[in-house]
Structures are given as C-alpha cells and as structure tokens.
Amino acid sequence: MWAVIAYNCKYYHIAIFLLLLLCQQIVAQKPTADDIRQLEEDMYRYYSDKQTDLFLETTRKLKEVCQRVGNDRLFYKAWGNEAIYIFTAGDRAKGLKIANEVYEHAVKTDCKIGLYSASYALGTLQNAIRSYDQAEALFLKAIECRQRYLPGESAAAAYLGLAKTYYQRGQFDEVVKYARKALAEPGVVDQHQMSAWSFICIADINVDSARFVRDYLEREKVKKRLGHDDNYGSVIECRRAMLHGNLEEALHMADLVTAPISRMEMRVRIYEKWELYKEAFFSLKLLTDFKDSINKEELAKQIAASASELSATWAKNEAKDLRIANQQLLLENVSRELEQHKLVNETAALKLKNREIELEHASMKLKTDSLDKVSHALMLREYESRARMRNIQVLLGSAIIMLLVGFLLYILWHNKRHIKKLKRINSQLMQSQQAEHEARKAAEKALNVKRNFLNNISHEMRTPLNTICGFSDLLTMPGVELPDEEKADLKQRINESADVLMHVVDGMLELSHYDSIMAVEQDDEVWVNALCQDVLSGFSPKMTHDVELLFTTEVDDTLAVKTNEVCLRKTLHHLIDNAVKYTTHGHVLVQVTDRTEPDRLTFSVADTGPGIPIESQKSVFELFVETGEQVKTTGMGMSVCKMLVNLLDGSISIDPDYTDGCRVVFTIAKHVASVEPEA
C-alpha cells in the first residue's frame, strides 16, 4: 500500500513541475503594451507603403495578440483594415468576404466596437466602387454607433471616410470640415493625422491656395514625426508643382501616384493646363474606360446586401435598448408601488404599537389603583372597544387602499391598451394619408405630362401648318404674280413644313405603337457591325463639312446576334439623328464593344454638341422633355429609345463623365447566332 502511494506521489510531483513550467512559458510569452503598440504602428506603415506580405503577416499577429489579451477595439480595427486593404489591392471578392466575416462575428458576440468597424469597412468598400451615397450613410451610422455605445472611442477613421467621400464628389468645404473633425477626435493616431492634413491640403489647392502653404507646413510636421508619407503624398506634390507652374515635375509626380484613377485624373489635368489636348483626350478616354470597368454589378449588390444586414442589426440593437428602457420604467413603477405598500404597513404597525402601549398603561393603572377597580374595568372595556373599532377601521382602510391600488392598476393597463390602439389607428391613418399623397402626386404628374404633350404637339403642329396655309394662300391669291424663283422657294418651304408635320405625326404613331406592346420577338439574326454601318450610311448625305460621322468597333465583323432587328435599328437611328441634329461642328461617334460586359453588347453614340445639363440627365428619357437649348423637339425620340431598349431587355443611360457633349450608352443581351456572314 505504501509503495503505491509513493509511486503516485512521484508522478504527482512531476505533474506539478510540468504545470509550473507551462505557466512560466505562458507568462513569459504574454505580450506587453509596447509590443501591441509596435504591431499597430507596423500595420499602418505597411498599409501606407503597400507592402502586402508584411502587412498581412503583421495584421495576423496583431489579431492573435488582441484576442489573447481581450483588446476588442484593436482586434476589429486590424480585421477591418485587412478587408479594406485586400479589397483595394484588387481581390474585391475576398475583401468583401472578410468584411462580412467582421460583421457576422460582431453580431454573434454582440460587440458594439465590432459593428462600428464593420460599418466603417463597408463604407470604405462602397467608396471604392463610387457608391458615395451609401458610403456616406454607412460612415454616419458608424459615427452614430460610436456616440451612442462607445463614448471614449475615436471616430477619426469614419470622419476621414466622409472627407474622402466629399473629396471624390468635389465638395471641398465639406472635406475640410470632416478632416478637422477627425483631428479633434480624442486619441487620434499619427497616421490619421497625416490623412486628415492630406485631405485639407488637397481641398486648399482647389479652394484657397494661400491657406494651402500654411496647411502644407503642418502636414510636413506630421510627416516628419511619422517617418513616412501616405497614399496622397504624390498627389499633393503633383498639385503643388502644378500650382507653381512646374508641369514637367508635376507629370513626373503624377506617375508616382499609386491609385490608378487618381494617377489618370492628374495626367488629364496636367495635359489640359499644358494645352496638350490630344494627350488629354486619350488620357480622359483611358480614365473613363477604367472607371467603367472597375465597378461590378454583382459586387455592388453584395456590398449593398451587407450594408442592409448591418442596418438591420442596428435596428435590432435600438429595439433592444428600447425594450430595456421600457422594462426599467416598469420596474421603477413596481418599486414605487412596493414603497407605498411598505409605508402603509409601517403606519399600521405604529398604530398597533401605540395601542399596545395604551393597553399596558391601562393595566398598570388597574394594578396600582385597586380602589377604582370597577371604573378601571369600565375604562378597560372602553379601551378594548375602541381598539376593536380601530382594528376594524385599519382593516377597512387597508381593504380600501388595496381596492384603490387595484383600480389604479386596471386604469393604467386599460390606458396602455387604449394608447396602443390609438397609435395603431394613427399609423393606419398616416399610411392612408401617405398613399393618398403619393396617388395625388402621380395624378398631378400624369396631368402635367398630358398638358405638356398637348402644348408641345400643338406648338409643333401649328408652326408648319401656319407656314403651309400662309404660303398656299399666297401662291393661290388671285391677281398676285410671283417670279418662278419665289414660287420655287415657297414650294420648298411648304414641303419642308409638311416634312416637319409628318415627322411629328410619325413620332406620335411610333410612341403610341411601342407604348402599347409588352414584348417583341428576338429571333432575327443580325450582323452587328454591318447593321451599324448601314444605319450610318443613311445619314451621310445629311452631314456638313463641319461635322464628321465616325464608327469604331471592338467586335468581329463575323459576330451575329439574335435580337429584334427593327427595334435595334430604330434605336440607333433615333440616337444618331438626335446627335446629328444637335451637333454643328466636331464629330458624331458610334461605338460597339463587348469588353465591358462579356455577355452583353454595349452601344454608345457620342457627339460634340452642347450636351445635356447634369440636373436634366435623369429626366431626359421621360416623355416630352427638351434635350437641348438650340433645337426644340417634342421630346418623343429619347422616350421611344427607352421603350425600344426595354423591349430588348436592355438598359439605356447618359454617361455623366463625358464632358465634350452628350454620350448615350445602351446595352442588349449578346445571344450569339450560329450563322456565317454572307459573301
């Protein structure tokens, strides 16, 4: 027996020794605050220098350390920076996946700093794909989350996100406003200070060049303290060189800009200031093509879905806080009622104690005064009767109080039900009023459209009719002899007015026809390049020497697709006719490509005319809208184009980035037909 105990004790000491050794290793490997701070500084430095491998390795180590020490703030910040870096580096699907993982982990652990980081990360991704409205909403939501749940946390990153959004919109006063808010945040790191001064300097160049010199010196101080530059350093130095007229140095600095869009934009500005318009045109074309190619619809939908889930989580948190507040109010009400009951019971106890004291005094008097025994007995009876009466009164009072409390509780419950019912009725009334208001607006809009239609058609038909009637009366007026040249001129004017009148009537008939059908057969086999060239050939006789008709294509001449040839031909005809009508000098360019979306064909018609104002581009495809200032039209051509493209299951829009005139872009499905071109 003793041998077994000794044997077990031997291994027991060995186990204790191994356990102590393991604890010593764990304590020795526990990271210090300086180690964590160094990892954080390395993360921001590698992020700015675009050292991908070092950044990812440092971020991984920082996340592991933060999980071990329980630093949720730095853990989610590093995780969100990883998602943003990978997204902007080119792997957008992976970056979005990591951002969603941050969001799901924050929801699972109910971590408010995680929701803040997820909001900031998704806002940055929206900014990267130029969804500036969604990015602004996400950054504001992140700031609201910080103000509500994280009062001691710095929101400098979210304010810088807003500054970047307004910088990309060109709203430089707002850029300075939010950049300075970022500087005013508590505990702002040097990297964020550097970014804030960068945005302020970029805004100063566009608003106040004198203030730029002062703010540039402040930025240099932070840069010296930080030990390296940020992503906007080359942009600022390039704009500074342009400000001083050093265009060659500015072009050199533009080549050092890492962001492709910023690099292309800087080159366009330098070439324009240098008056190298040809290089500026091709640089602008490269910039437009690059912007069109970087935004993927599916990725934007995924980011929007993630943002919607995040908004739902915020709504759940707000509802949860509201329920907790309501429960707290109910608990306070119950506590007050219990205090009232306690006071009533204490009062009754004091009264009973007083009655006991009185009875004791009465009994003492009976013991001390034997002569007045009978009178004391009578007095005792009287006191007892009074005590009984008081007891009855106390019981009745308690019963009445309980009834009153119950009645008050019933009234409170009934009032709450009534209030809920009134709120529900009020909500229904508001919804019905909203529906009525929307229906009224729709009816007013339809009435305005009808009124505009009648006014435009009346004007467009009255002018040629007046010309026809007047000149016809002049030709047939008895006793008036006109020379043959004047008769020929009047006849030509009558014919031109008749052509205008026929054009208006044809437009009305065409608009009515395509508005009444829901779908068309798309089984025509169409050679794309041949169709475009055939439509363009019909406009060649109408062209002047000042306007050149051009056609470029990025698809093979052997490409044939299945579609509705009539709808496609009419769409191209209307767009080219509209471009020719508005262009007095320059060129009209028709382009075809399938590189933007491989499964769709993209057609564009660009001109060098007066263009369409930004505020009118969204409504240009509505019925009876004037598309320019030089030529009046009934506004039916663009509406017919939209109907035709919709019948082809496509989309049509105005390119807002095209500034040389107007550029209309529409797409159709690319259903390749298995046919050979005719010899």
Side-chain angles (χ1 to χ4, degrees):
M1 178 178 179
W2 290 106
V4 174
I5 293 175
Y7 180 82
N8 291 334
C9 289
K10 178 179 67 174
Y11 284 99
Y12 175 77
H13 288 298
I14 294 174
I16 292 177
F17 174 78
L18 293 176
L19 182 60
L20 291 175
L21 183 62
L22 179 62
C23 292
Q24 182 180 3
Q25 291 294 326
I26 293 174
V27 172
Q29 293 177 1
K30 184 177 181 180
T32 64
D34 293 336
D35 295 336
I36 297 175
R37 189 181 305 109
Q38 184 63 44
L39 285 172
E40 184 180 7
E41 292 176 359
D42 291 343
M43 175 184 69
Y44 283 117
R45 183 172 71 256
Y46 296 147
Y47 186 100
S48 300
D49 296 341
K50 299 299 181 183
Q51 299 185 37
T52 303
D53 295 334
L54 292 175
F55 170 79
L56 294 178
E57 179 63 19
T58 304
T59 304
R60 181 188 63 79
K61 292 180 179 179
L62 183 58
K63 289 194 299 181
E64 291 177 356
V65 169
C66 291
Q67 278 190 312
R68 287 171 55 190
V69 300
N71 190 341
D72 290 338
R73 180 189 68 83
L74 195 53
F75 170 76
Y76 281 103
K77 184 179 293 185
W79 205 358
N81 287 341
E82 181 183 1
I84 296 170
Y85 184 93
I86 293 176
F87 187 91
T88 55
D91 195 349
R92 299 194 163 194
K94 185 177 180 181
L96 177 59
K97 179 182 178 182
I98 295 175
N100 287 328
E101 290 174 356
V102 176
Y103 159 73
E104 292 171 359
H105 191 275
V107 172
K108 183 179 180 181
T109 58
D110 194 20
C111 182
K112 298 300 186 294
I113 187 66
L115 291 176
Y116 168 82
S117 299
S119 305
Y120 169 74
L122 287 172
T124 305
L125 302 192
Q126 290 281 13
N127 223 341
I129 64 170
R130 299 186 295 166
S131 297
Y132 301 135
D133 292 339
Q134 292 84 349
E136 179 183 1
L138 285 166
F139 288 135
L140 291 174
K141 203 68 177 178
I143 294 172
E144 179 186 354
C145 179
R146 193 272 298 176
Q147 292 173 347
R148 178 178 296 183
Y149 302 110
L150 309 164
E153 179 65 23
S154 172
Y159 282 123
L160 290 175
L162 285 172
K164 183 175 182 181
T165 301
Y166 287 113
Y167 162 64
Q168 292 169 330
R169 287 176 169 174
Q171 300 177 4
F172 299 107
D173 291 335
E174 297 295 318
V175 171
V176 175
K177 171 184 173 183
Y178 285 105
R180 294 196 180 276
K181 282 191 174 184
L183 290 173
E185 282 295 294
V188 56
V189 298
D190 291 341
Q191 186 66 37
H192 288 163
Q193 292 186 31
M194 185 72 172
S195 299
W197 283 114
S198 295
F199 283 122
I200 292 172
C201 289
I202 293 173
D204 288 343
I205 293 172
N206 295 275
V207 177
D208 190 350
S209 57
R211 191 174 63 189
F212 166 76
V213 177
R214 182 176 64 256
D215 293 335
Y216 178 82
L217 294 177
E218 293 294 332
R219 182 182 182 276
E220 287 298 305
K221 293 178 182 178
V222 180
K223 176 182 175 182
K224 184 177 180 181
R225 184 171 68 249
L226 190 60
H228 60 86
D229 210 339
D230 63 359
N231 296 333
Y232 295 96
S234 301
V235 176
I236 293 174
E237 295 299 333
C238 178
R239 296 298 297 274
R240 184 166 176 262
M242 290 176 63
L243 187 64
H244 291 87
N246 300 327
L247 298 181
E248 292 183 357
E249 181 182 355
L251 190 61
H252 172 68
M253 296 305 300
D255 293 333
L256 299 179
V257 177
T258 57
I261 293 180
S262 299
R263 181 170 63 251
M264 294 178 186
E265 290 177 345
M266 296 306 300
R267 293 181 69 88
V268 171
R269 292 181 180 179
I270 294 170
Y271 285 138
E272 288 178 348
K273 192 168 183 178
W274 214 339
E275 297 183 355
L276 299 175
Y277 299 114
K278 181 178 180 180
E279 288 79 0
F281 171 76
F282 286 108
S283 297
L284 181 61
K285 185 176 184 300
L286 288 174
L287 174 62
T288 303
D289 295 339
F290 182 79
K291 286 182 177 180
D292 291 340
S293 65
I294 62 174
N295 292 329
K296 299 299 181 181
E297 183 178 359
E298 185 63 27
L299 184 63
K301 289 182 179 178
Q302 294 177 7
I303 297 178
S306 300
S308 300
E309 293 179 2
L310 189 60
S311 299
T313 302
W314 282 325
K316 291 179 181 178
N317 288 332
E318 292 174 356
K320 181 180 178 181
D321 293 341
L322 184 60
R323 289 196 300 271
I324 292 174
N326 291 335
Q327 291 175 358
Q328 185 66 28
L329 290 175
L330 291 175
L331 289 175
E332 290 177 358
N333 291 333
V334 173
S335 178
R336 284 194 293 269
E337 292 175 359
L338 291 174
E339 288 291 336
Q340 292 177 357
H341 285 300
K342 184 177 179 181
L343 291 174
V344 171
N345 292 332
E346 289 178 354
T347 304
L350 288 174
K351 290 182 179 180
L352 290 174
K353 190 173 183 180
N354 289 334
R355 285 194 293 271
E356 290 176 357
I357 293 172
E358 291 175 356
L359 291 173
E360 288 178 359
H361 286 180
S363 62
M364 289 177 65
K365 287 181 180 180
L366 287 173
K367 292 178 181 179
T368 56
D369 195 0
S370 58
L371 296 175
D372 298 329
K373 189 175 183 180
V374 176
S375 60
H376 282 292
L378 293 174
M379 291 175 64
L380 182 59
R381 291 176 183 174
E382 184 178 357
Y383 282 128
E384 289 177 352
S385 63
R386 289 180 179 178
R388 284 194 296 271
M389 290 297 296
R390 288 176 181 175
N391 288 334
I392 293 172
Q393 290 175 356
V394 170
L395 292 174
L396 289 175
S398 299
I400 291 172
I401 290 173
M402 293 298 293
L403 289 174
L404 288 175
V405 170
F407 182 68
L408 290 175
L409 290 175
Y410 172 75
I411 291 176
L412 180 62
W413 172 77
H414 185 269
N415 287 341
K416 286 185 178 180
R417 285 190 59 190
H418 188 61
I419 290 172
K420 288 183 179 179
K421 183 177 180 180
L422 290 176
K423 287 183 178 179
R424 184 169 61 255
I425 294 173
N426 186 37
S427 176
Q428 293 175 355
L429 289 174
M430 292 180 65
Q431 291 177 358
S432 63
Q433 290 176 357
Q434 181 68 22
E436 181 182 355
H437 179 68
E438 293 178 355
R440 188 184 299 110
K441 287 177 62 178
E444 291 176 354
K445 183 177 181 181
L447 184 61
N448 290 332
V449 170
K450 181 179 179 181
R451 187 183 296 112
N452 291 336
F453 170 75
L454 293 176
N455 291 335
N456 291 336
I457 292 302
S458 299
H459 175 74
E460 293 294 330
M461 297 182 70
R462 186 182 294 111
T463 301
L465 282 174
N466 289 338
T467 302
I468 294 172
C469 294
F471 289 155
S472 299
D473 292 341
L474 184 61
L475 287 172
T476 58
M477 185 178 295
V480 176
E481 293 294 335
L482 297 175
D484 294 338
E485 294 180 356
E486 291 186 8
K487 288 182 179 181
D489 181 54
L490 292 178
K491 181 179 179 182
Q492 181 181 358
R493 294 188 181 184
I494 292 173
N495 292 334
E496 290 176 353
S497 298
D499 291 338
V500 171
L501 188 60
M502 288 299 296
H503 177 72
V504 173
V505 174
D506 290 342
M508 293 171 59
L509 294 175
E510 189 175 19
L511 182 66
S512 175
H513 171 70
Y514 289 112
D515 187 43
S516 62
I517 61 178
M518 301 300 295
V520 294
E521 296 290 338
Q522 299 190 42
D523 53 1
D524 297 334
E525 296 174 348
V526 178
W527 283 274
V528 178
N529 291 340
L531 176 66
C532 295
Q533 292 171 352
D534 184 44
V535 175
L536 285 171
S537 64
F539 289 91
S540 297
K542 302 179 182 179
M543 305 307 293
T544 63
H545 295 292
D546 296 331
V547 181
E548 187 177 3
L549 196 59
L550 304 175
F551 172 67
T552 62
T553 179
E554 295 181 355
V555 300
D556 296 333
D557 291 339
T558 58
L559 176 64
V561 296
K562 280 195 173 184
T563 184
N564 188 284
E565 182 179 358
V566 175
C567 292
L568 181 57
R569 183 182 293 273
K570 283 185 176 291
T571 302
L572 287 170
H573 182 275
H574 280 299
L575 293 178
I576 297 172
D577 181 63
N578 195 56
V580 170
K581 187 184 302 181
Y582 279 89
T583 305
T584 58
H585 64 277
H587 65 268
V588 174
L589 174 63
V590 179
Q591 293 178 302
V592 184
T593 182
D594 60 351
R595 297 184 180 179
T596 304
E597 298 181 64
D599 58 342
R600 301 186 71 81
L601 281 176
T602 301
F603 298 83
S604 64
V605 180
D607 60 61
T608 56
I612 300 174
I614 295 296
E615 61 273 11
S616 302
Q617 289 182 2
K618 292 184 178 179
S619 60
V620 73
F621 295 104
E622 297 179 1
L623 289 175
F624 320 116
V625 174
E626 291 189 3
T627 57
E629 298 178 356
Q630 297 181 355
V631 181
K632 292 186 177 179
T633 174
T634 55
M636 292 184 288
M638 300 299 279
S639 300
V640 171
C641 290
K642 183 177 181 180
M643 293 179 182
L644 292 170
V645 173
N646 289 337
L647 290 174
L648 296 176
D649 300 326
S651 61
I652 187 169
S653 62
I654 302 294
D655 184 359
D657 298 324
Y658 184 77
T659 58
D660 293 336
C662 178
R663 183 172 183 260
V664 184
V665 181
F666 72 93
T667 64
I668 64 172
K670 181 182 175 184
H671 300 301
V672 180
S674 57
V675 296
E676 294 294 333
E678 295 179 358

